[in-house]
Amino acid sequence: MSLSSVQLRVRGYHLDGYGHVNNARYLEFMEEGRWAFFDEHPSLMKELHDAGRAFVVVNLNIDYRAAAVQGDDLVIMTGIVEVGERSAICHHQIRRKDGQLVAKADLTFVLLDIRANKASPIEGHVRDTLASLTVEKSVFAD
């Protein structure tokens, strides 16, 4: 099982005119979570790079549950919950340190063949590695 956890503090520049985190900033927080997740698996990233492949986001569904404000300490949890033939799903949850769910999202990504500029099948060692990292969505408390 592989979950990644990143902590960050909400700063003034994350806020919108209403004094809470701008919705676009949550996407950046989740991206930070994905970078941390893949940082924990450098051999996978090297294999993809050497093969001329990259993960590319193709869909994002996000549910905002509570506003985060300046000074909130957030925890971004990231894990892969599904691996298909041509795409995979990464789940994110953002919580305040007190456990309050702020946002959750399912992000679909494909494996891009950089030279051909098109999606390629998720197969071989990459598929095996991703499958070994997959977690049940139930490990994310709602």
Side-chain angles (χ1 to χ4, degrees):
M1 179 167 87
S2 185
L3 281 178
S4 176
S5 176
V6 173
Q7 297 181 23
L8 64 86
R9 175 161 290 166
V10 175
R11 306 291 183 190
Y13 66 89
H14 294 136
L15 306 179
D16 61 17
Y18 300 107
H20 53 70
V21 173
N22 181 281
N23 64 326
R25 290 291 184 167
Y26 290 106
L27 303 177
E28 294 173 357
F29 295 169
M30 290 176 195
E31 185 170 17
E32 182 66 28
R34 285 191 306 284
W35 276 98
F37 181 88
F38 288 113
D39 280 350
E40 294 173 9
H41 307 285
S43 62
L44 173 62
M45 300 313 293
K46 180 177 180 350
E47 180 180 347
L48 288 173
H49 181 267
D50 291 349
R53 304 283 192 271
F55 290 117
V56 177
V57 174
V58 294
N59 184 278
L60 176 68
N61 294 302
I62 186 167
D63 292 321
Y64 300 100
R65 297 294 180 93
V69 297
Q70 186 170 350
D72 279 349
D73 290 316
L74 303 178
V75 178
I76 298 95
M77 300 294 298
T78 303
I80 296 173
V81 295
E82 185 179 320
V83 179
E85 298 296 321
R86 298 187 67 81
S87 65
I89 298 174
C90 182
H91 184 73
H92 295 282
Q93 280 194 358
I94 299 175
R95 292 183 177 274
R96 285 194 198 98
K97 278 232 168 161
D98 66 5
Q100 170 72 44
L101 180 63
V102 173
K104 64 181 184 173
D106 285 321
L107 178 142
T108 303
F109 63 88
V110 299
L111 191 59
L112 180 73
D113 179 328
I114 296 170
R115 288 177 219 102
N117 196 31
K118 67 178 187 176
S120 63
I122 300 174
E123 57 192 8
H125 185 260
V126 171
R127 179 178 188 71
D128 294 342
T129 301
L130 288 175
S132 74
L133 299 174
T134 301
V135 298
E136 295 292 324
K137 205 181 236 185
S138 62
V139 301
F140 293 90
D142 255 350

